[in-house]
């Protein structure tokens, strides 16, 4: 009941941005530095449209079902389905910016959109027009072939896991043995690589992408019927939740560093809401008024293993000292060493040596309890992370 209220609040917020003309939610784009040439304008994100449609269908209301059909009918048409194109199987970020104008196109969209289509088809196919179901199946097939052709390596953690989920689930749903076998092979390779890499993800301790990894590993664990895949997913979920517990600083409610990829310095309500949901509300990390529910969580049964839950209540002083690889091939230049000390008074983490870039948190400290203060180090070029 509590999550239903959170879901309805989040859905209403997105619905308030719905644009009848573009048949999708509108957003205000600020300074954009990745993939798009657009900035400081109103845009209609294709990814938001797919996620919104899946959420509308989850509401169970007839009016929402009809709007979802309208949204899906529009956004599914925007996929490149020409096999001879390099962008085959993907979508542009924004409806007003076609693939050929992006700088460059984002092949990850085959993974992200394949996941959304699977939510729709697995749970709601019988509530959709037959011709739309067929077009969604074709879009899913094209997305899978794009993932197969790209064949992303194990060290791009969240995209490798997501690609494994999409190809496994599509293979299972569409009775496509070759694609299922491909998905199983890359997931097994990811499992073996993680085990050999100090049993940690190469995309290490990311407050953004460890969350994505846990979400999609949960999907694999809950939805894929293959017994071996089930075992691997359970083990990798343990790695993801274990990392979150190891780096969570209960006195400040911060996800501590060092982080391989992060978009913020302080934990967002979305991150804290994710953790609280995984803890089944046994620990309060965010005020209910600030609970930031992701509409995709309606399709995921998030559960943090019991053995890690105490870490989100109290801080048991501990150190982290871990060496691992962050790029394919185990090259010496890609070896990272993460060090951290967490105690009740403060948390301090750093890399021994690392590159600098916009998403890297190389040195990070938190203190001050609920009145959290933090210190970070970065290298700037024209006031932007170098």
């Amino acid at each position: 009941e509590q999550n239903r209220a959170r879901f309805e609040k989040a859905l209403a917020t997105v619905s308030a941005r719905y644009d009848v003309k573009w048949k999708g939610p509108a957003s205000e784009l600020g300074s954009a530095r990745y993939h798009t040439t657009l900035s400081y304008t109103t845009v209609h994100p294709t990814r938001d449209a797919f996620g919104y449609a899946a959420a509308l269908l989850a509401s169970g209301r007839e009016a929402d079902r009809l709007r979802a059909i309208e949204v899906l009918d529009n956004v599914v048409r925007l996929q490149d389905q020409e096999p001879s194109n390099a962008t085959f199987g993907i979508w542009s970020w924004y409806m007003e910016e076609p693939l050929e104008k992006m700088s460059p196109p984002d092949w990850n969209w085959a993974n992200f959109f394949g996941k959304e289509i699977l939510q729709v088809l697995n749970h709601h196919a019988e509530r959709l027009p037959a011709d739309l179901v067929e077009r969604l199946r074709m879009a899913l097939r094209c997305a899978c072939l794009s993932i197969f052709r790209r064949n992303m390596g194990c060290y791009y953690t969240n995209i490798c896991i997501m690609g494994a989920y999409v190809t496994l689930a599509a293979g299972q749903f569409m009775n496509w043995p070759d694609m299922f076998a491909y998905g199983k092979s890359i997931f097994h390779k990811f499992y073996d690589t993680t085990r050999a890499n100090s049993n940690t993800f190469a995309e290490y301790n990311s407050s953004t992408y460890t969350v994505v990894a846990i979400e999609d590993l949960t999907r694999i664990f809950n939805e894929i019927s293959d017994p071996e895949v089930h075992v691997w997913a359970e083990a990798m979920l343990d790695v993801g939740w274990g990392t979150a517990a190891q780096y969570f600083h209960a006195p400040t409610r911060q996800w501590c560093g060092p982080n391989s990829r992060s978009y913020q310095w302080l934990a967002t309500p979305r991150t804290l809401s994710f953790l609280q949901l995984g803890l089944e509300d046994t620990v309060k990390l965010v005020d209910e008024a600030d609970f930031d529910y992701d509409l995709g969580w309606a399709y995921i049964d998030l559960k943090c293993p019991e053995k890690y839950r105490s870490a989100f209540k109290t801080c048991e002083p501990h150190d982290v000292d871990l060496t691992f690889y962050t790029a394919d091939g185990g090259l010496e230049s890609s070896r990272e060493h993460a060090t951290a000390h967490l105690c009740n008074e403060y948390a301090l983490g750093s890399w021994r040596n690392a590159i600098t870039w916009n998403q890297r948190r190389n040195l990070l400290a938190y203190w001050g309890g609920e009145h959290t203060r933090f210190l970070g180090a970065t290298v700037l070029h024209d006031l932007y992370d170098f």
Side-chain angles (χ1 to χ4, degrees), residues 63-74:
D64 287 346
R65 183 186 76 87
L66 295 175
R67 177 173 283 188
I69 290 170
E70 180 180 78
V71 174
L72 290 168
D73 181 68
N74 180 50

Side-chain angles (χ1 to χ4, degrees), residues 265-292:
W265 294 97
L266 292 167
T268 65
R270 174 62 60 86
T271 300
L272 295 175
S273 300
F274 165 83
L275 294 172
Q276 185 171 318
L277 195 66
L279 294 164
E280 299 176 287
D281 287 296
T282 57
V283 182
K284 183 179 179 181
L285 300 177
V286 60
D287 292 336
E288 191 60 33
D290 298 322
F291 199 100
D292 189 5

Side-chain angles (χ1 to χ4, degrees), residues 63-375:
D64 287 346
R65 183 186 76 87
L66 295 175
R67 177 173 283 188
I69 290 170
E70 180 180 78
V71 174
L72 290 168
D73 181 68
N74 180 50
V75 74
V76 74
R77 299 174 188 274
L78 303 178
Q79 183 189 40
D80 182 352
Q81 296 190 349
E82 174 49 60
S84 63
N85 291 343
T87 53
F88 170 64
I90 68 174
W91 286 257
S92 63
W93 274 18
Y94 306 115
M95 294 181 186
E96 40 274 283
E97 183 180 41
L99 282 164
E100 58 270 20
K101 291 189 177 181
M102 290 185 67
S103 179
D106 188 350
W107 275 263
N108 293 345
W109 257 218
N111 305 60
F112 279 101
F113 285 40
K115 180 167 62 175
E116 299 292 354
I117 293 170
L118 279 160
Q119 290 183 155
V120 170
L121 291 177
N122 272 324
H123 297 277
H124 308 289
E126 74 285 352
R127 300 172 59 215
L128 301 175
D131 66 315
L132 178 57
V133 169
E134 284 309 306
R135 284 188 288 127
L136 287 169
R137 288 172 64 95
M138 176 56 72
L140 179 59
R141 178 175 287 273
C142 293
C144 286
L145 292 171
S146 174
I147 293 168
F148 175 82
R149 184 160 71 178
R150 187 184 186 198
N151 196 32
M152 180 52 62
C154 298
Y155 286 84
Y156 197 169
T157 302
N158 80 95
I159 293 302
C160 181
I161 294 171
M162 202 180 302
Y165 166 69
V166 171
T167 51
L168 281 166
Q172 181 174 278
F173 177 78
M174 295 196 288
N175 193 25
W176 191 0
D178 290 346
M179 192 55 66
F180 185 89
Y182 169 73
K184 185 174 180 178
S185 71
I186 60 173
F187 191 52
H188 189 202
K189 184 179 178 182
F190 174 80
Y191 169 84
D192 284 344
T193 301
T194 302
R195 284 297 200 207
N197 195 28
S198 300
N199 200 37
T200 196
F201 300 150
E203 206 167 38
Y204 182 69
N205 187 36
S206 169
S207 54
T208 301
Y209 293 108
T210 300
V211 168
V212 175
I214 290 172
E215 289 173 347
D216 292 329
L217 287 167
T218 301
R219 286 185 170 95
I220 293 173
F221 180 77
N222 288 336
E223 296 178 26
I224 305 305
S225 57
D226 185 283
E228 287 184 308
V229 170
H230 197 262
V231 170
W232 304 333
E234 184 176 30
M236 294 298 96
L237 273 170
D238 190 79
V239 172
W241 282 113
T243 298
Q246 188 175 45
Y247 280 97
F248 189 79
H249 188 235
T252 58
R253 297 180 185 174
Q254 296 299 318
W255 188 313
C256 298
N259 311 129
S260 64
R261 299 182 67 190
S262 182
Y263 298 101
Q264 302 86 21
W265 294 97
L266 292 167
T268 65
R270 174 62 60 86
T271 300
L272 295 175
S273 300
F274 165 83
L275 294 172
Q276 185 171 318
L277 195 66
L279 294 164
E280 299 176 287
D281 287 296
T282 57
V283 182
K284 183 179 179 181
L285 300 177
V286 60
D287 292 336
E288 191 60 33
D290 298 322
F291 199 100
D292 189 5
Y293 190 88
D294 186 303
L295 291 171
W297 295 340
Y299 291 94
I300 316 172
D301 185 19
L302 292 169
K303 282 189 178 178
C304 176
E306 192 65 41
K307 63 182 177 180
Y308 294 128
R309 297 192 177 195
S310 63
F312 299 95
K313 300 176 184 178
T314 58
C315 178
E316 192 69 38
H318 64 278
D319 294 320
V320 180
D321 191 29
L322 186 65
T323 301
F324 56 98
Y325 292 93
T326 59
D328 281 308
L331 301 175
E332 186 67 24
S333 61
S334 70
R335 189 170 68 178
E336 304 276 17
H337 188 99
T339 304
H341 176 71
L342 284 79
C343 60
N344 280 293
E345 294 75 21
Y346 68 90
L348 174 64
S350 72
W351 301 111
R352 180 171 295 173
N353 58 281
I355 64 168
T356 68
W357 73 305
N358 179 255
Q359 296 181 27
R360 187 63 65 101
R361 299 291 176 258
N362 287 329
L363 186 148
L364 197 56
Y366 295 104
W367 72 98
E370 292 184 8
H371 304 288
T372 305
R373 302 180 183 191
F374 74 94
L375 180 147

